Amino acid sequence: MAGRVAIVEVAQISGGDSKDNYYDQAYLVTKEVLAKAGVTKDEVGAVVSSASDIFHGGISCASAYYNEAVVAFLKNSSRQDGESLFALVYGVMRILSGHYDTVLVAGLCKGSENPPNDTCTGMFGDPFYLRPIGMNETVAASYQMRLYMERYGITEEQCAKVAVKNLHNALRNPYAHRKGRYTVDDILNSGRIIDPLTTLQIAPKSEGFVAMLLASEEKAAKLTGKPVWFKGYGSSLDTFHFGDRDLLQGQLKNAAAKAYRMAGLTDPRREIDLAEISEPYAFQELMWYEDLGFCGEGEGGNLIDSGVTRTDGELPVNPSGGVLANNPYVSRGLQRAVEAFLQIRGEAGERQVAKKVKTALVHGTHGFAGQCHAVAILGSQE
Amino acid sequence: MVKEYKTIKTQVALPYEIAYGATWTRFFEGFKERKIYGTKCPQCARILVPARAFCPRCFVDTEDWVEVSQEGSLVSWNYVNYRYFGMPTEPPYVGGLIRLDGTDVGFLHLIGGFGLSDLEEVKKNVKSGMKVRAVWSDERQGNIMDIRYFEPIK
Ligand SMILES: [Zn+2]
């Protein structure tokens, strides 16, 4: 990369629901991140936000509603609709342009207010075929899950273990929406609303207002003694027609390869200390392990069985509880970056992992059965 | 769920009128005649169904229209037992991802022709890999539900 970009500070407001409205929450999270960084609104160079019209019935329309709440008034600002990790990389690019030394990146989602996520994701389909046949993200995931289990002999119990782990991790996360001590049987008996999926293997809809302040290397040195560096990024989007796609050989491998190359990682399983990934459906965490190179093809079930991805394991995955614990659909990728930042800085409170985190992977996904993936690598070392 | 704070309930209903375009139009005209059409890519030779104007992989026009088989094999399936906005029929129902014989992509539709009320019974009738066949409505409108469902071939 031409220069280095650091994340200086983060803030988040999340959980099940809040009596505050969207506009005020956007303001509060922005105010918090600027206060932590010791930066005034006038010192913010540019703003990139992530929000979605479908999820908020138009109130966030092209950022018109919340523009000033994220200090974008009179500034160069733009809004990303779709995977929120894209907003992070657009913010990084603003700084790499050399024209700005700070950029505010915000992801805004108030899941407590939107219709069921399935209603919103159903709109991703075309009106001729996918919508009339009843497609949505949960329906898509159910096809993918059965294929995955049958192709590799992954068991329902192994899939359920992801929910057991993540909802348990979430007990230590004050920002999580859904949490608890569940057994594999609890997960499998939580309501078989769309076999092979059960209710607790499907992420809830949650709130997630997240903000981060990015800075150039020079500016970061003035703002913090503990910068977290943006090290690499990759994204990939599969083709539209659901039946055309290989649901077991998706785009995450491609997105990860790009991010690893940019970050100079050659052995991700050993070089990555912690991962915060987006698993809106429990089994997907197992699939994503494979695509990220944490284990071989078809070995995601063995990896969860081994305990390696537990909070006290060699490679903790989703110590926050992940998306199963808190699912602001629009900002869930960016929330993973906030969690990774806190772990790298050793500021994750009760959910801080025991091992030292120097390099972390964050992942966001959007669309049917992981149509879109984005991966970012963050780290404490230059 | 009743919220403990003051809220406003509001709905957005936005009417759209959307062009089918030439390819969807011709594809659904075929449905009226109980025919399923795909298009063939001149470069990778895949037969794509539903028909489309270009091959998404090769980015070239797909000019050859072919009538494809109404039988195929089941790649994956689900048993849907919850109500949701946009559901194609009252639950419970079975959805299927089907590879129609001679084609190179999956085709989404419903699986039926047997009792659907009990998942364990359904599991006796539905297996990945099984052969299925399209069952048409008597009165067809030129839309995807002109096929009522795909039934298992015994
Ligand atoms: Zn082709």
Side-chain angles (χ1 to χ4, degrees), chain A residues 258-281:
Chain A
K258 294 181 201 180
Y260 294 161
R261 203 177 312 129
M262 192 186 290
L265 301 184
T266 52
D267 186 359
R269 168 72 173 77
R270 282 189 32 246
E271 292 163 314
I272 292 167
D273 299 307
L274 173 144
E276 276 284 340
I277 67 179
S278 293
E279 73 321 358
Y281 303 90

Side-chain angles (χ1 to χ4, degrees), chain A residues 17-19 112 118-119 123 128-134 136 139 142-143 146 150 192-195 241 243-244, chain B residues 3 5 19-20 24 28 50 52 76-79 81-82 84-86 88 95-96 105-108 119 128 144:
Chain A
D17 71 346
S18 162
K19 66 182 189 317
S112 66
D118 288 343
T119 304
M123 297 298 117
F128 315 110
Y129 174 39
L130 288 183
R131 286 190 200 171
I133 209 68
N136 63 41
V139 170
S142 64
Y143 287 120
R146 191 180 308 279
E150 292 183 348
R192 199 159 280 266
I193 65 168
I194 177 164
D195 181 82
H241 283 274
D244 289 15
Chain B
K3 298 198 175 179
Y5 45 88
Y20 271 89
W24 282 115
F28 285 123
R52 63 213 65 177
S76 188
W77 61 278
N78 55 27
Y79 180 78
N81 203 9
Y82 76 114
Y84 64 93
F85 178 82
V105 296
F107 188 76
L108 277 172
L119 173 59
S128 299
I144 196 68

Side-chain angles (χ1 to χ4, degrees), chain A residues 301-345:
Chain A
N302 293 338
L303 191 65
I304 188 97
D305 286 344
S306 74
V308 162
T309 58
R310 287 168 26 163
T311 294
D312 58 359
E314 276 170 56
L315 174 50
V317 176
N318 287 335
S320 69
V323 166
L324 284 173
N326 201 73
N327 181 31
Y329 192 101
V330 184
S331 54
R332 63 195 184 191
L334 213 48
Q335 188 166 46
R336 309 273 68 71
V338 165
E339 285 294 325
F341 171 96
L342 294 171
Q343 291 284 353
I344 289 168
R345 292 249 290 220

Side-chain angles (χ1 to χ4, degrees), chain B residues 55-76:
Chain B
C55 174
R57 279 196 202 158
C58 305
F59 203 63
V60 293
D61 295 356
T62 53
E63 284 155 357
D64 284 342
W65 283 69
V66 285
E67 188 191 341
V68 305
S69 174
Q70 305 198 0
E71 297 183 357
S73 50
L74 190 63
V75 176
S76 188

